[in-house]
Amino acid sequence: MGDYMFMLESHLSVDQFRVVGEMRDLASEAGINIFLTGGAMRDMLGGFPVRDLDFTVEGNALKLAKAAEKKLGAHLVSTNETYKSCELLLPGNVTVEIAMARHERYTKSGSKPQISPATIHEDLRCRDFTVNAIALSLNKASLGLMIDPTNGAGDIERKEIRATHNYSFYDEPVRMLRVLRFKARLGYGIDERTKAHFDNAREAEMLLRITPDALGAELRHLAQEPNVADVLQALSDEKLLDLYSPALAGAKLNLPEFQKLQKARQLVPAGMQFRLNALPLFLSILLEKLNPKERAVLNKAANLSKPELNATQRLDAAAKKLERELKSPKLQKASQLYQLLVNAHGEEILYLLVDSEQRLVQDRIKNYFQKYLPMTQEVTDEMVAATGVAPGTPKFQKAKEQMILKRLDARPKKPPPLPEPPPPPPTSSFARGPSVRHAR
Ligand code: CTP
């Protein structure tokens, strides 16, 4: 039992693990059973980085979220009253989803389900794929117990995506897009029967029953994918992009730009805090080749909101401004470049890596990711505390920042070029010629 708790500690970031402990204590105080579920369990068992923490509670999730706001300084990002779930952002940039364990009953395929509170076992059995249907108990009496009613752990070991039941794609047809996204992301295969269910659901025209809200939610997920080009390629191969826009099914899908974006995202050092609003960046590439009519079709198909579209429109101008600043001859020191980029929005930086034709701009961003950001890790809290500043205070953060800037500028300059080697001693022209051979 303890093994999974140990695995959790070694797999999550320090902040994520702290939040798991805090949420466990909050739920215990409220007398609610809490489990770590979904993507967090899949990614931990599969050896992938955990992006956000999905908690499922047997009880009132929204009440627990309120307590997290009050006691943990959580910021409420969104609430879903139907599913009794909400998304929170906790200190340390930890994204959390808390959902009520639920039973879903679909009276009609693709329709809104009837939701009722359930046990964790019932909840897991209603989920999409077995790899997403695993829970870890965080409750005192069963701490560290893994609950895996559909043997998702076995499928993770086999690297296979399997639907939890025969109606998975019929209940929620958007899962036909999800399965391809997970396949491309995890590099797993799709189990034969699941493939057959997929084909049957397609034949039965289940794709037409995906609601604009579900298509929009999936588009937002797509925008977050680090390997976005691979996922889009998979969706395009399966001819699923015309659900969003017939134009994207043709030549207007800008895959080369998405490949550049995928490469750019790989430059961001793992484990570094990097603020990225991925949707406007994704949309700006997706919409680039579409004419206004085609854009309107896509906006309607995915029910995109005004603020989302406005943020996309603003990105181009904001990135161009950053490009001008990055070209400035005033940027002499490493610390100046670091300060400019550490305060810039991630989507603007990546936009320039994809779009800018300025060599200097590309080089400066690459230096930031490959040299300067990793260097900031060399300044530890212990080093700052040794100067006598009290940890956890604003003064401490400031002192740390100052130490980082100093270290960046103290980097040894490139070593001077080696002196020219002495010229070789003069020899006969025959010996110097590379291919002169004398016939015997
Ligand atoms: N889920 C489902 N059917 C859907 C959407 C979600 O069964 N149509 C379940 C899955 O168990 C999933 C969980 O809800 O793991 C959380 O959904 P989501 O946040 O969309 O996916 P994650 O698995 O967390 O994946 P990601 O890493 O992309 O966030």
Side-chain angles (χ1 to χ4, degrees):
M1 266 192 223
D3 281 354
Y4 289 113
M5 292 312 288
F6 176 73
M7 198 171 177
L8 205 58
E9 181 166 12
S10 54
H11 202 81
L12 299 183
S13 73
V14 174
D15 285 319
Q16 285 175 326
F17 190 67
R18 187 203 71 237
V19 168
V20 169
E22 289 172 345
M23 291 303 300
R24 190 190 59 200
D25 294 345
L26 266 194
S28 162
E29 274 169 37
I32 296 175
N33 284 336
I34 186 166
F35 304 85
L36 189 67
T37 47
M41 287 304 292
R42 174 196 68 225
D43 292 339
M44 180 184 79
L45 295 170
F48 300 100
V50 174
R51 300 200 294 196
D52 36 49
L53 301 173
D54 305 297
F55 294 101
T56 303
V57 298
E58 289 176 332
N60 193 334
L62 303 184
K63 195 172 137 197
L64 196 64
K66 283 235 157 64
E69 273 185 281
K70 212 163 136 199
K71 296 194 178 160
L72 307 179
H75 165 71
L76 187 67
V77 179
S78 63
T79 306
N80 186 326
E81 285 291 342
T82 316
Y83 289 117
K84 303 275 180 270
S85 68
C86 54
E87 209 184 307
L88 299 165
L89 187 66
L90 275 97
N93 217 13
V94 180
T95 317
V96 159
E97 197 204 64
I98 312 177
M100 171 188 81
R102 62 181 187 252
H103 182 262
E104 295 175 359
R105 208 170 78 87
Y106 292 82
T107 43
K108 213 170 115 210
S109 292
S111 64
K112 274 202 170 152
Q114 288 172 1
I115 305 284
S116 49
T119 64
I120 188 70
H121 283 83
E122 289 166 321
D123 175 287
L124 294 173
R125 285 185 181 280
C126 289
R127 291 185 181 231
D128 51 1
F129 309 114
T130 63
V131 296
N132 290 340
I134 306 171
L136 187 71
S137 168
L138 302 174
N139 309 299
K140 216 172 179 182
S142 53
L143 182 71
L145 177 74
M146 194 165 85
I147 305 163
D148 183 13
T150 59
N151 193 21
D155 287 333
I156 289 176
E157 217 166 303
R158 275 190 293 279
K159 299 190 190 307
E160 202 161 60
I161 304 175
R162 184 160 55 93
T164 48
H165 55 89
N166 295 351
Y167 298 101
S168 187
F169 294 127
Y170 287 82
D171 285 350
E172 281 193 55
V174 74
R175 291 172 174 169
M176 298 167 80
L177 278 76
R178 280 173 69 84
V179 73
L180 295 175
R181 179 160 59 83
F182 286 124
K183 177 179 188 280
R185 180 187 327 158
L186 307 173
Y188 287 7
I190 302 180
D191 139 79
E192 281 303 317
R193 279 180 62 164
T194 304
K195 247 189 226 158
H197 295 322
F198 181 99
D199 292 340
N200 292 341
R202 188 164 198 162
E203 186 101 2
E205 299 201 321
M206 284 299 131
L207 287 170
L208 301 180
R209 300 209 186 174
I210 307 179
T211 61
D213 280 346
L215 276 179
E218 187 55 25
L219 204 67
R220 289 177 198 102
H221 275 298
L222 247 169
Q224 305 295 336
E225 286 294 325
N227 57 345
V228 61
D230 298 344
V231 183
L232 282 169
Q233 179 75 65
L235 292 173
S236 169
D237 291 348
E238 280 292 336
K239 311 219 174 330
L240 291 179
L241 286 178
D242 55 356
L243 292 170
Y244 290 99
S245 148
L248 288 177
K252 294 201 170 179
L253 173 66
N254 201 344
L255 265 178
E257 290 276 292
F258 278 112
Q259 268 145 7
K260 279 196 203 167
L261 173 61
Q262 188 164 316
K263 261 195 169 157
R265 289 190 71 153
Q266 284 163 3
L267 283 180
V268 182
M272 289 281 164
Q273 281 210 14
F274 183 66
R275 286 182 301 151
L276 174 64
N277 186 2
L279 188 67
L281 178 59
F282 170 82
L283 285 179
S284 71
I285 302 177
L286 195 73
L287 300 175
E288 202 181 356
K289 289 189 170 187
L290 305 189
N291 63 36
K293 236 181 171 172
E294 291 163 342
R295 286 177 182 210
V297 168
L298 189 144
N299 295 347
K300 196 165 167 224
N303 213 2
L304 295 173
S305 73
K306 267 248 158 65
E308 286 172 336
L309 293 170
N310 289 345
T312 307
Q313 271 172 2
R314 279 197 304 269
L315 180 58
D316 183 61
K320 290 275 145 57
K321 179 168 174 277
L322 181 63
E323 186 179 47
R324 284 193 297 278
E325 288 167 338
L326 276 167
K327 274 193 310 191
S328 165
K330 285 187 198 151
L331 278 187
Q332 293 278 329
K333 297 183 187 168
S335 61
Q336 291 170 321
L337 176 62
Y338 168 79
Q339 278 179 305
L340 174 64
L341 289 180
V342 86
N343 291 311
H345 292 275
E347 60 276 17
E348 292 165 19
I349 303 176
L350 295 186
Y351 183 103
L352 290 180
L353 273 180
V354 172
D355 195 65
S356 175
E357 286 170 1
Q358 305 282 330
R359 178 80 190 270
L360 181 65
V361 169
Q362 294 278 344
D363 287 348
R364 284 186 160 163
I365 295 177
K366 283 180 189 157
N367 271 342
Y368 170 70
F369 282 139
Q370 293 172 332
K371 288 194 208 154
Y372 303 155
L373 266 187
M375 267 188 75
T376 62
Q377 297 292 88
E378 293 169 14
V379 177
T380 61
D381 284 357
E382 289 73 31
M383 287 160 73
V384 187
T387 65
V389 200
T393 59
K395 219 172 154 192
F396 187 87
Q397 267 318 315
K398 214 160 177 191
K400 188 168 183 181
E401 194 64 23
Q402 285 306 320
M403 280 176 88
I404 288 173
L405 298 180
K406 224 166 147 191
R407 181 167 282 243
L408 284 168
D409 289 339
R411 272 179 82 74
K413 297 242 170 335
K414 264 194 192 160
L418 292 171
E420 289 272 315
T427 47
S428 82
S429 55
F430 279 123
R432 264 209 310 273
S435 59
V436 179
R437 283 217 170 163
H438 296 283
R440 270 194 286 180

